Amino acid sequence: MLKKSVLLLALAGLSLSALAAELRVMTHSSFSLPKDRIAEFEKQNGVKLSIVKGGDAGEMLNKLILTRANPIADVVYGIDNTLIAKASAAGILAPTSSKLGRTEKDAQLPGAVAVDYGYVTLNYDKTWFAKAELPLPATLDDLAKPAYKDLLVVQNPATSSTGLAFLLATIADRGEDGAFKWWEKVRDNGLKVSKGWSEAYYTDFSRNGGSRPIVVSYATSPAAEVFYSKEKISESPTANLLLKGGVFLQVEGVALLTGGKEPQAAQAFVDFLRSEGVQTGLQTKMWMYPAVAGTAIDPVFAHAQKPAKFSNPSLAAMNSKTAAWVSRWNRLVVKQAN
Amino acid sequence: MNRSLTLPALLPLAFLLLMVAAPLARLLQEGHAGFSLALLQDSYIQWRLAWSVGQALATCALALLIGLPLAWVLARFDFAGRRLLLRMLMLPFVMPTLVAGMGVLALFGPHGVAGVNLQDTPWLLLYGNLFYNLPLLVRAGVDGLEQVPASRLAVARTLGAPPWRTFWRVEWPVVRPWLASALCLIFLYCFAGFGLALLLGGQRYATVEVEIYTLVAYELNLADAGVLALLALGVGAAVALAYAALERGLARPQRLAPTLRTPAQGWPQRLLLASALTVLALCCLLPLLAIVWRALQADATVWAMLAEPEVLAALGNTLRFSGAALGLSLLLGLCHGWAAQRWLALRALVFLPFMVSPVCLAFGLLLLYPQYSASVGLLIAAYALLAYPFVAKGVLSAAAALPPQLPQAARTLGATPWRSFCRVSLPLMRPALRRGLAFAAATAVGEFAVSLFLSRPEWATLTTLIYQHLGRPGAANLQLALLLSCLLMLFALLAFVVIEWPEKNHARAD
C-alpha cells in the first residue's frame, strides 16, 4: 500500500515536472519560423515553447523593462541594434553567448547573440518610373527637388521601426542638424508620412493603389514580391534605391533575460536559433539574412541586393538620443506639414 | 428596491476596479515621480489636445446632422431588405482599420473609382470618421424613433400639426436620450481616435492618444504619458457625466404601442427613401463593397489558401474569443445597466472603458498582473471590457422605457424582485438587449485596441491574420488579406443576424 502511494506520488511529481518544463519566449510581432522546426526543438529538449508576442520590437522591449521585477519571459528574440543599448542599460539582459557558427562581419550585436540581419532602405515602383520616364533619384538631395515632388512616403519613426531606422541613417550620414535640414526640405517637397510599414506599403505605395512610387522598406522586399507573387514572376515589380545616407543596417538577436527560469532550455533555444535549420528557414519567413556565416542563401534572395554601404549611428548614441530625435522629427515634419 | 440595485452593481464595479482603475493607478504610480504640468504649456501638445476635442465635436455634429434624417426614414418606412440593411450597418465596426482604409481609397484615392483623389484632405478625414460613427447614430436614432407612441403621432396629425412640428414636439423628446448616448460614444471614439481618420487624412491629424501611445510604448516616458492620460480621462469623464445627466433627465417610460412603419407611398416619399438609402450606402457600405470587389479578383491559388489550417484555426479563435467575450459582456452589461438606473455616476461609468487610454490600460495590466499577462482569461476580460458597455447601454435605455406598472403589478401579485425581473422586465428588454449584444459582438470581432495586449501565435484570430499578411510585401499577401476580410464580414454578418433574430411575439421589433 505504502509502496503504491509512493510510486503514485513519484509519478505525479514526474508528470508535474514534465508540465513545468516550459520555456517562455518573448518575441516581436513579426517573429515567424517553420512550425516543424519548433516542434523538433520541443521534442529534442523536452520543453514546451510558450511564445508570447509583445507588439513591435520597441513596444516589446518596454514591456520587458516594465516587468523586470517579475520577468514575464525567460528569453527574448527580436531586440535589434537600435534597442540593444537601451536593453543593456535597463539591466534586463543576462550575458548570452552561443558556440554555434561564426557571425557575419556586418551582423555584430554586442550584448546579445545575433540571429539575423537586414537593411532598411528605399524601394521604388519600376512600372511607375518607366511610365513617367523620370530618371531615378541619384542622391537623397534629389528627393528635395521639384522633379521629385510628392513621390516619397516614409513611416513615422514614433510608431514604426522602419521609419526610425531610416531617420537614424540620415542622421548618421549628415549629422543631426544636416539631417533635419534635409527633412525640412523633403517635407516642403510633399513628403507623405504614414503610421507604419503596412499603411505605407498598402495604401500609399503606387504599386498598391497609392500615389507614391518611393517607399521606405527593406532591401529584401523585392525578393518577397517575387516569392509572394500570384503567378510565378521572374522579375520583381519593385527594386531597391540604395542611396548614400538612406540605408540602415538592422541586426536582430536573442538573449537570456535576467531572472528568467529554465536557463538550460533558454541556452538551447539560443543555439537553436543559430542552428542551420533555423538559419535557412527564417529567410523566407522573416525576410532577413542569416547571421551565421556560410549559411546557404535562398535562391529567391537573388532578387534582392545586399547594399555595400550603410549608415548607422553608434549604439550609445542611439540609446541616449533616439527619443529626442524622434520628438524633434515629429515637431518638424508632422506638425508643420499643413 | 434599493438592495435589488446594489447587489448587481457590485459585479461590474469589481470588474472595472480590477481591469481599469487598478491598472491605471499602477501605471500612474510608476511614473508619478516625474509628473510635471510643464508639458501642458507646450504649444505642440496644446494644439494636439485642441484638435482632438475639435474634430470629435465636429464629427458628432456632422453625424447628427446626416444621421438623424436617415434614422427617421429608416424608422418610418418599410422596405424589402430593411432588416438586413440594419445588420449590415454594423459591418464597418468589424473591419480592420487598414483594410477599411484600402476600401475608401479604392473609391476616393489616387486611382479611385470616383475619379477624384481626396487622399490627405480633411474631406477624407471626415469621411473616415463618418464611416465608423454614422452607423452608431443611425441605429440609435432608429431605436429611439421606434419607441414613439403611435397614438401621440396620430393625435398630433389629427390636430393638424405640420410634420416638422410633429417631429419637434412628439418625436424629438423621445429620441433625444438615445441620440445623447450615441453622441457620447462617438465623441469618445473620435477623441481617442487612432485609426482610419489618420490613415486617410494624414499624420498631422493625430489625436492626443497617438502622443500617449508614443510616450508609453516607444519612449517609456510614463510621467508625461500619465499627465496626458489623466487629462484625456478628465475630458472623457466630463462628456460622459454630461450625457448621463442629460439622459436621466430626459428618459420617460413609453407606452407599448410603438409607431408602425408603412411602405413609402407616392413619389415624394419614395424619393426620400431612395436618397436616404443612397447617402447611407455612400457613407458606410461602399468602401466595404470595394473591398469585396477587389477580393473577388483574387487568383485561384489565393482562394485555395483559404482552406489552409491557419485560416481555419483563426476562424475558430475568432468564434471562441468573441463567444466567450459576449457571454461575459452579457452578464456584466445586464448587471451594470440595471443597477445604473438610479445612480448618475454608475450611468457615466458605463463608458469608462472608452475613456481610458488603451495603451495605458495595456501597460498597466502588464505591470499589475505580470503572471497573467499572456493568459486567455485576461485576453477575454479585455475583449469583454470593450464590448460590454454596449449591452449596458441597451439595458439602460430599455429599462428607462419600461412601463413601471407591469413590474409593480407582478410584485403586488407576490413575485419576488428577482422573479419580477426575470419574467416581466427582462422579456420586455430583450430586443434592446439583443441590439446591444450585436454591437458588443461587432466590437469583439473588430478587436479595438486588443492588439496592444500580449498575444500568442496560437491565439491568432482573423483580424490578426489579416494584419500578418499585410505585414509582408507581395500580391498574394494582399489578396489573401482582402479575402480574409470578406470572410470576416461574412462571419460577422451571420453573427449579427443570429443575435438579432426577430422573435415571434416581437415581430415588429428589430
Side-chain angles (χ1 to χ4, degrees):
Chain A
M1 190 66 200
L2 188 73
K3 249 187 184 170
K4 223 178 188 175
S5 40
V6 168
L7 192 71
L8 273 176
L9 270 175
L11 273 177
L14 263 178
S15 61
L16 262 181
S17 67
L19 279 175
E22 179 194 47
L23 183 67
R24 301 169 301 167
V25 182
M26 180 70 123
T27 74
H28 56 48
S29 44
S30 323
F31 174 78
S32 174
L33 282 182
K35 277 210 182 72
D36 48 338
R37 296 262 175 259
I38 290 179
E40 207 179 289
F41 173 81
E42 288 183 324
K43 210 172 147 197
Q44 277 176 5
N45 294 277
V47 289
K48 164 97 186 61
L49 265 190
S50 158
I51 293 168
V52 177
K53 294 191 169 184
D56 80 6
E59 200 178 318
M60 170 190 79
L61 172 61
N62 284 341
K63 286 178 177 169
L64 289 173
I65 293 177
L66 268 188
T67 54
R68 68 193 139 186
N70 303 289
I72 50 176
D74 310 310
V75 57
V76 56
Y77 162 79
I79 291 190
D80 67 13
N81 47 338
T82 63
L83 300 168
I84 190 74
K86 184 177 175 185
S88 303
I92 60 161
L93 302 183
T96 312
S97 62
S98 174
K99 294 197 180 73
L100 250 64
R102 183 174 55 80
T103 302
E104 287 272 2
K105 186 169 71 62
D106 273 0
Q108 300 301 327
L109 191 64
V113 170
V115 174
D116 54 71
Y117 67 105
Y119 303 87
V120 172
T121 184
L122 298 173
N123 282 186
Y124 69 93
D125 176 356
K126 282 182 182 169
T127 322
W128 190 95
F129 272 94
K131 265 193 198 148
E133 294 179 7
L134 190 70
L136 289 171
T139 63
L140 281 187
D141 286 315
D142 281 351
L143 289 170
K145 291 179 181 159
Y148 297 97
K149 193 172 164 55
D150 294 339
L151 299 192
L152 174 63
V153 55
V154 303
Q155 299 87 17
N156 190 332
T159 45
S160 155
S161 53
T162 43
L164 178 62
F166 189 70
L167 169 64
L168 291 172
T170 60
I171 291 175
D173 185 53
R174 293 160 186 261
E176 186 175 341
D177 289 335
F180 279 103
K181 261 184 214 132
W182 178 79
W183 280 106
E184 193 175 355
K185 276 190 261 167
V186 287
R187 176 199 77 192
D188 295 339
N189 204 30
L191 172 74
K192 169 84 198 270
V193 180
S194 66
K195 183 179 152 229
W197 181 90
S198 300
E199 285 82 4
Y201 207 80
Y202 284 111
T203 65
D204 292 311
F205 192 31
S206 57
R207 158 115 182 101
N208 293 310
S211 63
R212 309 289 169 139
I214 308 176
V215 61
V216 172
S217 189
Y218 290 92
T220 51
S221 301
E225 281 282 351
V226 174
F227 188 83
Y228 292 116
S229 59
K230 300 169 272 180
E231 64 288 342
K232 290 301 155 203
I233 47 176
S234 54
E235 196 190 336
S236 174
T238 67
N240 288 320
L241 189 58
L242 304 172
L243 303 181
K244 181 174 173 292
V247 181
F248 184 86
L249 166 71
Q250 190 195 12
V251 184
E252 293 185 309
V254 60
L256 272 55
L257 286 163
T258 328
K261 297 174 206 148
E262 306 290 337
Q264 246 180 333
Q267 181 61 48
F269 185 74
V270 170
D271 292 334
F272 165 67
L273 290 187
R274 298 268 295 186
S275 68
E276 199 195 338
V278 169
Q279 289 284 308
T280 36
L282 68 82
Q283 298 173 30
T284 54
K285 280 280 184 184
M286 296 198 273
W287 296 96
M288 300 292 269
Y289 289 97
V292 173
T295 308
I297 300 293
D298 195 285
V300 79
F301 275 59
H303 297 278
Q305 298 147 278
K306 252 194 210 179
K309 284 183 186 149
F310 52 85
S311 33
N312 285 24
S314 72
L315 296 183
M318 287 195 278
N319 178 34
S320 59
K321 294 192 180 147
T322 296
W325 285 336
V326 170
S327 170
R328 181 172 173 187
W329 188 92
N330 260 290
R331 279 152 204 258
L332 176 80
V333 176
V334 177
K335 195 202 166 180
Q336 304 298 330
N338 289 299
Chain B
M1 185 68 190
N2 249 336
R3 204 163 53 99
S4 72
L5 289 181
T6 320
L7 266 171
L10 292 178
L11 182 71
L13 281 178
F15 183 72
L16 289 177
L17 184 74
L18 289 174
M19 287 295 292
V20 182
L24 189 67
R26 180 69 185 81
L27 192 80
L28 292 174
Q29 183 210 341
E30 193 78 11
H32 80 284
F35 271 11
S36 148
L37 294 181
L39 181 74
L40 302 180
Q41 319 236 302
D42 186 340
S43 66
Y44 174 76
I45 295 291
Q46 286 172 352
W47 180 75
R48 282 260 180 275
L49 266 169
W51 166 250
S52 303
V53 174
Q55 55 96 30
L57 286 176
T59 308
C60 283
L62 204 63
L64 185 63
L65 218 61
I66 302 179
L68 188 55
L70 295 179
W72 191 86
V73 171
L74 287 180
R76 292 292 171 255
F77 296 121
D78 220 350
F79 55 91
R82 178 179 173 278
R83 227 164 25 211
L84 186 67
L85 180 75
L86 286 177
R87 313 287 186 272
M88 281 170 67
L89 271 186
M90 286 182 290
L91 282 180
F93 256 61
V94 176
M95 269 296 99
T97 311
L98 183 50
V99 182
M102 295 195 302
V104 174
L105 291 174
L107 302 171
F108 304 111
H111 307 289
V113 183
V116 280
N117 179 12
L118 297 179
Q119 195 174 16
D120 300 323
T121 64
W123 298 112
L124 220 50
L125 172 94
L126 283 176
Y127 182 86
N129 269 343
L130 278 182
F131 171 73
Y132 276 123
N133 294 307
L134 196 59
L136 274 174
L137 194 111
V138 170
R139 288 232 43 182
V142 170
D143 292 348
L145 286 166
E146 277 177 347
Q147 304 295 317
V148 175
S151 50
R152 270 198 244 163
L153 274 184
V155 168
R157 282 201 200 112
T158 315
L159 294 176
W164 65 266
R165 182 176 288 170
T166 314
F167 175 78
W168 192 243
R169 301 296 283 273
V170 179
E171 296 175 297
W172 175 246
V174 177
V175 78
R176 256 187 314 186
W178 299 80
L179 297 179
S181 78
L183 286 174
C184 177
L185 203 57
I186 292 176
F187 181 91
L188 291 175
Y189 269 145
C190 292
F191 181 68
F194 205 117
L196 188 62
L198 243 73
L199 181 70
L200 299 171
Q203 289 272 308
R204 61 181 175 276
Y205 298 117
T207 56
V208 75
E209 178 58 28
V210 179
E211 215 61 46
I212 299 176
Y213 172 80
T214 309
L215 285 170
V216 175
Y218 277 77
E219 296 177 18
L220 210 58
N221 180 348
L222 299 181
D224 286 351
V227 172
L228 286 183
L230 278 179
L231 200 68
L233 181 63
V235 173
V239 170
L241 271 171
Y243 139 76
L246 192 71
E247 189 185 60
R248 195 173 62 165
L250 292 172
R252 303 263 180 286
Q254 303 301 335
R255 289 219 197 89
L256 287 171
T259 308
L260 288 174
R261 286 182 302 276
T262 51
Q265 281 156 352
W267 67 265
Q269 286 194 357
R270 286 206 189 104
L271 194 69
L272 194 64
L273 180 61
S275 43
L277 292 182
T278 312
V279 173
L280 206 55
L282 212 64
C283 286
C284 304
L285 298 179
L286 266 189
L288 301 178
L289 269 181
I291 293 162
V292 175
W293 180 71
R294 277 185 74 177
L296 289 179
Q297 296 166 348
D299 296 64
T301 48
V302 180
W303 278 95
M305 289 162 89
L306 279 182
E308 279 183 9
E310 64 167 8
V311 174
L312 299 178
L315 194 61
N317 280 339
T318 304
L319 192 66
R320 267 192 317 145
F321 293 156
S322 44
L326 269 193
L328 191 53
S329 300
L330 182 62
L331 185 66
L332 288 166
L334 260 178
C335 291
H336 196 154
W338 189 248
Q341 291 176 65
R342 277 290 180 83
W343 295 316
L344 186 72
L346 211 53
R347 198 180 274 260
L349 275 182
V350 166
F351 286 123
L352 183 67
F354 301 129
M355 289 183 231
V356 180
S357 154
V359 66
C360 289
L361 209 57
F363 274 72
L365 283 168
L366 189 66
L367 265 173
L368 198 58
Y369 316 115
Q371 67 278 34
Y372 303 116
S373 55
S375 67
V376 179
L378 195 69
L379 183 81
I380 302 289
Y383 274 103
L385 180 69
L386 298 169
Y388 99 84
F390 288 99
V391 182
K393 203 168 71 83
V395 171
L396 204 49
S397 321
L402 278 182
Q405 305 91 327
L406 292 181
Q408 273 165 12
R411 296 295 305 281
T412 315
L413 293 173
T416 57
W418 170 246
R419 196 173 163 80
S420 143
F421 173 78
C422 291
R423 302 297 285 271
V424 180
S425 308
L426 194 59
L428 287 172
M429 295 196 299
R430 204 142 57 191
L433 200 57
R434 284 169 170 243
R435 275 192 294 269
L437 264 183
F439 267 107
T443 317
V445 174
E447 303 184 33
F448 277 110
V450 172
S451 60
L452 291 167
F453 294 84
L454 293 182
S455 134
R456 292 170 183 270
E458 61 269 27
W459 292 350
T461 58
L462 279 178
T463 310
T464 334
L465 203 56
I466 290 168
Y467 272 112
Q468 263 173 30
H469 283 284
L470 290 177
R472 298 185 197 126
N477 281 318
L478 175 60
Q479 287 193 343
L480 187 58
L482 290 172
L483 270 182
L484 288 171
S485 303
C486 292
L487 189 64
L488 186 68
M489 280 194 266
L490 202 67
F491 168 80
L493 193 59
L494 214 63
F496 299 154
V497 168
V498 169
I499 292 173
E500 287 199 83
W501 197 261
E503 294 168 58
K504 281 209 182 76
N505 50 343
H506 289 280
R508 264 179 283 124
D510 282 306

